Amino acid sequence: MALQPVVKRSVSADVFEQIADDVLSGELAPGTALPSERQLAEALGVSRPAVREALQRLSAAGLVAVRQGDATTVLDYRRGAGLEVLPRLLIRSGTLDPAVARSILEARLHNGPKVAELAATRVARGSVAPAPATQAAADTDGASGRPDMAWPVGATRLSDSTLGGGHATEDLGALANTLADLVDSIAAAESDPIAQQRIALEFWDHIVDAADSIVFRLMNNMLRAAYEPALAALAPIMSAEVGNVAGYRELADAVVGGRPSEAADRARALLEPATIALISVLDGH
């Protein structure tokens, strides 16, 4: 007998899920007044505090407007909600929404090059000039035979003032080694496109961290949360991208080498083919 972990859920979370699904599906149209707390509690068979907590969460998510002494009304989530609703919009009742998937892919293609460019810019503004572009091609790691990532020799840490994040940042050498290791892992997982996608997501996580932008970080979190449930379905088309080991290596080299324009170009070259192919499939072409 294969046992599965029991997922414990709160009553208020179940109430939230039901109402949120109805709002996002359009079953509850913007402007619709919800039943009172008492009526909702009776209809759902739960306590009023559980309903109240769910309504507060719905309000925080931008899905409803709660006014003391007045009816709770449904909002237009397209105007008031944030990126946290993306995973719910992408897959509804186990079915992928093509329009939402297309939007995520377009955002990914637009943001990826900008994030890579910003990450390389942070490196270029460090206290030591980055190694020349030709260095990575000339040097190799004797242990692995892979090209060394070009990064400022002698640099120990990107300064907090340079990155503007006000927090400890990753050693540039550590970033170079981490990206190189991830690229090697992508190559080693060539027979498993789903595993390659997961490694690629981790690769991009480090690029986003290097960009040191809280906005791009939060956007990446939500885009990843929306993307991950569809990994298996996307594997056939994404295999060309996540199998492009040279593309990832060239992008990593441009970032840790502090070459913003090249980093943006490498990111676009890496992301564009699969994005165009996926959008074509979603559009039925």
Side-chain angles (χ1 to χ4, degrees):
M1 179 174 62
L3 298 177
Q4 299 296 324
V6 175
V7 179
K8 296 181 179 180
R9 296 172 56 86
S10 69
V11 174
S12 65
D14 285 337
V15 175
F16 172 85
E17 294 289 345
Q18 285 194 49
I19 298 176
D21 285 345
D22 287 345
V23 171
L24 296 175
S25 69
E27 185 170 337
L28 287 173
T32 300
L34 295 182
S36 66
E37 282 185 8
R38 179 181 58 80
Q39 292 171 323
L40 284 170
E42 291 177 353
L44 295 168
V46 300
S47 67
R48 289 184 66 175
V51 170
R52 189 175 303 118
E53 182 179 342
L55 292 177
Q56 290 172 347
R57 285 187 60 194
L58 289 162
S59 176
L63 300 180
V64 303
V66 178
R67 297 182 178 87
Q68 191 69 27
D70 199 358
T72 296
T73 55
V74 176
L75 298 176
D76 183 350
Y77 71 85
R78 294 174 179 81
R79 298 287 184 179
L83 287 171
E84 65 271 12
V85 304
L86 266 181
R88 298 175 182 277
L89 292 172
L90 179 62
I91 299 179
R92 299 180 188 174
S93 302
T95 303
L96 187 91
D97 186 312
V100 177
R102 185 190 308 109
S103 296
I104 291 172
L105 289 166
E106 289 167 346
R108 172 177 173 268
L109 179 58
H110 180 270
N111 288 350
K114 296 304 295 182
V115 169
E117 179 181 11
L118 183 55
T121 298
R122 302 297 194 201
V123 172
R125 290 178 180 174
S127 59
V128 180
T134 56
Q135 187 67 32
D139 294 342
T140 58
D141 181 331
S144 66
R146 70 185 178 218
D148 285 335
M149 296 301 177
W151 58 284
V153 176
T156 58
R157 187 175 292 278
L158 296 175
S159 67
D160 290 339
S161 60
T162 297
L163 297 187
H167 55 77
T169 56
E170 186 173 22
D171 285 348
L172 188 51
L175 172 64
N177 289 334
T178 296
L179 294 179
D181 288 343
L182 288 169
V183 173
D184 286 346
S185 296
I186 290 173
E190 63 178 340
S191 61
D192 188 345
I194 295 178
Q196 283 186 318
Q197 287 183 83
R198 294 193 185 282
I199 299 167
L201 288 172
E202 185 178 351
F203 175 96
W204 277 103
D205 265 343
H206 286 278
I207 300 294
V208 174
D209 286 342
D212 196 39
S213 164
I214 186 60
V215 174
F216 276 130
R217 162 45 63 196
L218 295 179
M219 291 176 69
N220 183 76
N221 292 347
M222 288 302 100
L223 289 173
R224 176 168 179 166
Y227 173 83
E228 283 191 296
L231 284 178
L234 296 175
I237 295 178
M238 290 298 295
S239 60
E241 176 181 310
V242 295
N244 185 1
V245 177
Y248 283 102
R249 201 179 301 282
E250 289 165 355
L251 171 56
D253 177 67
V255 169
V256 299
R259 303 188 292 278
S261 180
E262 181 185 342
D265 289 342
R266 295 297 188 186
R268 187 173 296 104
L270 180 63
L271 298 173
E272 197 168 51
T275 301
I276 292 174
L278 281 167
I279 291 176
S280 178
V281 170
L282 291 170
D283 289 342
H285 298 154

